[in-house]
Amino acid sequence: DVEEIWIFEGIFKAIGLLHNGITATSTLTTNNYPSEALAALAAQCEANGRERPRLVFAYDDDPAGHSFTRKYCRRAKEEGWEAAAALSPSRGAAKRDWDDLHRLDRLKPKDLEEYRYHGALVIAESAQEKANLIYSRFGTTQFPLDFEQRLYWFKLDLDAFGKVLEKFQDDYPDMTREEQRLEALAESNCVVEICNCKPTP
């Protein structure tokens, strides 16, 4: 009975996670959505009265990896799965695959949290959602970000945020504090497009 299944392109990447106690499997290629395996797993979960595990798509940090991660997360959600993403970001020319991270002992819980954050950035459905993720992690009130090959600028009005948050706490006590914070954040920030391409120096 597992809570998550991590899905990789390559076999050795999946083995790297298995060595760290994480249930993982490989699709052998990014353009192979495991439809039959997931259908069989869904039927097995239903037959045994168990919740379906969460799917975590963990493809490479390249255009194909990003594209298929977004595509498969959307498809999995449409098919009734809880789906997320994880990404080991490239640092300049340096690229570390998941099996490299295993050998470097970089698959600790804190490391996995970072990879989940980068995965969430990849599958964000809008520039606003991506900006909220960045703000929630770093707390910076102004910053640039890219989304779908366009450049944006995020700015948070802290005074407005405090007032809106207080209003949500008073008017919607049934909401969790995180839900109140996210709603207040959405109402008190501005995300504007500043360039219709993604400049890369």
Side-chain angles (χ1 to χ4, degrees):
D1 205 17
V2 298
E3 293 183 1
E4 286 186 336
I5 297 176
W6 287 50
I7 302 174
F8 298 87
E9 175 184 354
I11 294 172
F12 292 107
K13 297 171 187 179
I15 290 173
L17 272 288
L18 289 169
H19 278 302
N20 289 268
I22 297 171
T23 303
T25 188
S26 165
T27 59
L28 302 180
T29 173
T30 50
N31 59 6
N32 179 25
Y33 181 79
S35 54
E36 292 186 14
L38 290 178
L41 178 59
Q44 186 179 17
C45 290
E46 185 175 354
N48 292 307
R50 295 178 177 176
E51 294 288 328
R52 293 185 184 185
R54 182 188 306 107
L55 306 179
V56 180
F57 291 91
Y59 291 151
D60 292 347
D61 186 16
D62 57 31
H66 290 200
S67 175
F68 282 105
T69 296
R70 287 190 289 266
K71 178 180 178 181
Y72 292 165
C73 278
R74 290 189 188 117
R75 179 171 174 178
K77 289 175 181 177
E78 290 170 358
E79 294 176 357
W81 297 92
E82 183 182 350
L87 179 75
S88 169
S90 301
R91 305 295 186 189
K95 180 183 177 184
R96 290 177 175 171
D97 286 332
W98 294 96
D99 46 320
D100 297 325
L101 295 171
H102 163 62
R103 287 189 289 272
L104 293 167
D105 198 26
R106 293 287 305 277
L107 292 174
K108 297 284 193 292
K110 186 176 181 180
D111 299 316
L112 295 176
E113 180 186 341
E114 179 184 353
Y115 307 145
R116 290 177 192 273
Y117 162 72
H118 288 288
L121 294 181
V122 169
I123 63 173
E125 295 288 351
S126 66
Q128 178 73 67
E129 181 180 342
K130 186 173 182 178
N132 289 349
L133 288 167
I134 297 170
Y135 170 76
S136 296
R137 187 166 181 86
F138 298 105
T140 309
T141 56
Q142 295 188 59
F143 53 82
L145 68 143
D146 65 274
F147 182 77
E148 294 188 347
Q149 299 301 314
R150 292 172 180 261
L151 196 61
Y152 294 82
W153 186 262
F154 169 92
K155 182 177 181 180
L156 176 66
D157 184 332
L158 283 174
D159 290 336
F161 175 71
K163 292 175 182 177
V164 175
L165 180 59
E166 186 176 340
K167 181 178 184 298
F168 272 102
Q169 290 171 344
D170 292 340
D171 296 348
Y172 302 98
D174 292 337
M175 294 174 66
T176 66
R177 293 192 66 82
E178 180 63 11
E179 289 172 339
Q180 292 169 346
R181 190 188 69 79
L182 290 174
E183 290 291 339
L185 178 61
E187 290 196 18
S188 55
N189 75 70
C190 180
V191 178
V192 294
E193 183 181 316
I194 57 176
C195 187
N196 64 358
C197 64
K198 179 186 174 183
T200 304

